[in-house]
Amino acid sequence: MDNRIDVLREEIKQKLSSVGDLAELDKLRVGYLGKKGSITALLKGMKDLTNEERKTFGAEVNKLKANAAELIDKKVEELNRKAIEAEINLMPVFDVTTPPELTRGSYHPVTLSQRQCEAVFKSMGFTVEDYAEVVTDYECFEAVNIPKHHPARDMQDTYYLENGQLLKTQTSAAQNAILRKYGKNLTEPYPFLTTVCLNYAVPDCVPEGYTHVSITNLVPTDPFLDVKEEDYYDLKRRLASEMIDKFIEHNGVDFRDRIAEIEVSTPMTINHYVGAWKGTIYGYRHSMKNHLIGRRTMDVNEHYIKGLEFAGAHAVVGDGQAPQVKNGRLAAKAVLNAMAEKEGK
């Protein structure tokens, strides 16, 4: 029996040395350590031995079994290591310091459209400005005179952060900061000019040979409230002269000696004829009354000049671009209805 143990020990070593993969190794393990394996068969033959021989022989068989299991485990580690080394050797040589050759994608259509629009406005002298997406309550609301009870401040309309800041809900926050950035101070006109040549839209708006040009400058309303009556017309002339100078400087054409007529309108002019609050462009200070029902209820009382319809934002409902368009349509419809009634009579 002892001779069989020595034979199996040498046999296992020889076969392990020639094993080339894990599948072949598993067959060898089953052949020696399985239920029907050679080492297990030795234990089954112990029934013919005496008690003393069983103790000695059993201990030797268990040593052989443990030694065979250890050799097989080591062979598993060896085969796994060789498999990893073979996989590494098959990989192509790669220099990590070589600059990558990336195939880049294209820009999103929205990005391309935005850049085209910006290029158009830049060509006309505009400046493209950006602003933070997270702003303070003052920047988004207080600075543009939006009161505490305005619907825009509701939780369903504005995303508030735990630190008291909020996600910018409207461009007014940026407009306020940009106007302050470029304005010399709050008592001087902001350095922006908007020019419109009416002849392009209405060729016969003026007699032949003349051109109708409108120049608009953003002027704060508050300074005009403190202007003395005797200084008002001098202030208008000075502002008009400065705007003409800026227009000439930008366009490179001096047309002062060809001006036939100049009409100057200030916030006080709008206040006088239209009755708008402080002569502001919107015409009304923000309040909860500025909704559709309130505006329509007061519609009769707001016709300061017969035949005049308020078409800007807050004329009927809300402020901003969408209400401007809606209110413009309502004003146009009211004017057309009035004309139809007049012609019918």
Side-chain angles (χ1 to χ4, degrees):
M1 287 288 187
D2 293 342
N3 184 47
R4 289 190 59 187
I5 292 175
D6 294 335
V7 171
L8 284 176
R9 182 180 290 110
E10 292 300 321
E11 184 179 308
I12 291 172
K13 290 181 179 179
Q14 291 179 3
K15 289 188 176 181
L16 282 175
S17 64
S18 61
V19 171
D21 55 53
L22 293 174
E24 186 178 353
L25 179 62
D26 189 62
K27 290 181 181 179
L28 187 146
R29 181 189 63 78
V30 173
Y32 286 98
L33 300 177
K35 292 183 179 180
K36 297 181 181 181
S38 302
I39 296 177
T40 306
L42 291 177
L43 295 174
K44 293 179 179 179
M46 291 173 56
K47 62 183 180 178
D48 298 328
L49 301 176
T50 64
N51 290 335
E52 290 295 327
E53 289 176 337
R54 287 178 185 175
K55 293 180 181 179
T56 304
F57 185 75
E60 292 297 324
V61 172
N62 287 332
K63 287 182 181 179
L64 174 64
K65 186 175 182 181
N67 180 252
E70 182 181 356
L71 292 175
I72 291 173
D73 289 341
K74 289 182 178 180
K75 191 65 177 181
V76 170
E77 294 179 1
E78 178 186 342
L79 292 175
N80 285 332
R81 184 176 66 256
K82 288 183 178 180
I84 294 174
E85 292 175 354
E87 185 176 353
I88 293 175
N89 293 331
L90 291 174
M91 294 177 65
V93 178
F94 179 74
D95 184 1
V96 295
T97 63
T98 303
E101 296 181 3
L102 300 177
T103 302
R104 301 185 183 276
S106 59
Y107 287 106
H108 193 277
V110 172
T111 301
L112 296 175
S113 300
Q114 176 183 337
R115 292 183 176 180
Q116 290 176 355
C117 293
E118 290 176 354
V120 171
F121 281 102
K122 284 181 179 179
S123 68
M124 295 189 293
F126 285 87
T127 300
V128 177
E129 291 286 341
D130 199 0
Y131 198 65
E133 296 298 328
V134 179
V135 297
T136 63
D137 182 86
Y138 172 81
E139 292 170 320
C140 197
F141 298 121
E142 294 291 336
V144 289
N145 292 329
I146 297 180
K148 296 291 185 182
H149 55 264
H150 196 280
R153 290 175 179 255
D154 292 344
M155 297 297 293
Q156 62 266 28
D157 286 342
T158 302
Y159 189 88
Y160 290 91
L161 306 180
E162 293 181 354
N163 62 359
Q165 293 181 307
L166 50 93
L167 298 186
K168 184 176 65 179
T169 57
Q170 52 191 339
T171 58
S172 301
Q175 292 170 358
N176 173 62
I178 292 169
L179 288 176
R180 291 176 181 272
K181 173 182 176 181
Y182 287 98
K184 296 178 181 179
N185 53 61
L186 295 181
T187 60
E188 294 292 333
Y190 294 114
F192 299 105
L193 288 180
T194 303
T195 59
V196 177
C197 181
L198 188 60
N199 296 60
Y200 285 108
V202 186
D204 57 351
C205 63
V206 292
E208 186 177 354
Y210 290 84
T211 302
H212 184 287
V213 178
S214 172
I215 307 175
T216 304
N217 192 17
L218 295 177
V219 181
T221 60
D222 291 344
F224 283 88
L225 301 179
D226 300 326
V227 177
K228 296 180 181 179
E229 184 177 352
E230 60 268 23
D231 298 330
Y232 179 65
Y233 290 102
D234 289 336
L235 176 61
K236 289 176 62 175
R237 294 188 184 94
R238 179 174 65 82
L239 290 176
S241 180
E242 291 177 357
M243 293 171 67
I244 292 173
D245 288 340
K246 291 179 181 179
F247 184 87
I248 293 173
E249 179 183 355
H250 180 75
N251 292 277
V253 179
D254 189 349
F255 58 92
R256 280 183 174 275
D257 58 344
R258 299 188 179 185
I259 297 177
E261 181 180 345
I262 298 179
E263 179 182 342
V264 183
S265 298
T266 69
M268 298 304 294
T269 308
I270 302 175
N271 192 350
H272 176 73
Y273 287 107
V274 183
W277 178 77
K278 283 190 177 182
T280 58
I281 296 175
Y282 285 156
Y284 296 94
R285 187 169 191 168
H286 294 282
S287 73
M288 288 301 292
K289 296 179 181 179
N290 289 329
H291 52 76
L292 180 60
I293 298 177
R295 287 269 77 87
R296 299 309 291 177
T297 302
M298 297 182 289
D299 186 54
V300 177
N301 299 326
E302 293 182 351
H303 284 74
Y304 302 101
I305 300 177
K306 187 177 181 180
L308 176 66
E309 294 287 342
F310 228 163
H314 260 69
V316 176
V317 56
D319 61 339
Q321 186 65 32
Q324 246 182 341
V325 175
K326 178 179 179 62
N327 297 336
R329 289 175 177 172
L330 290 174
K333 184 177 180 181
V335 172
L336 291 174
N337 289 339
M339 293 173 60
E341 288 183 11
K342 186 176 180 180
E343 292 178 359
K345 293 179 180 179

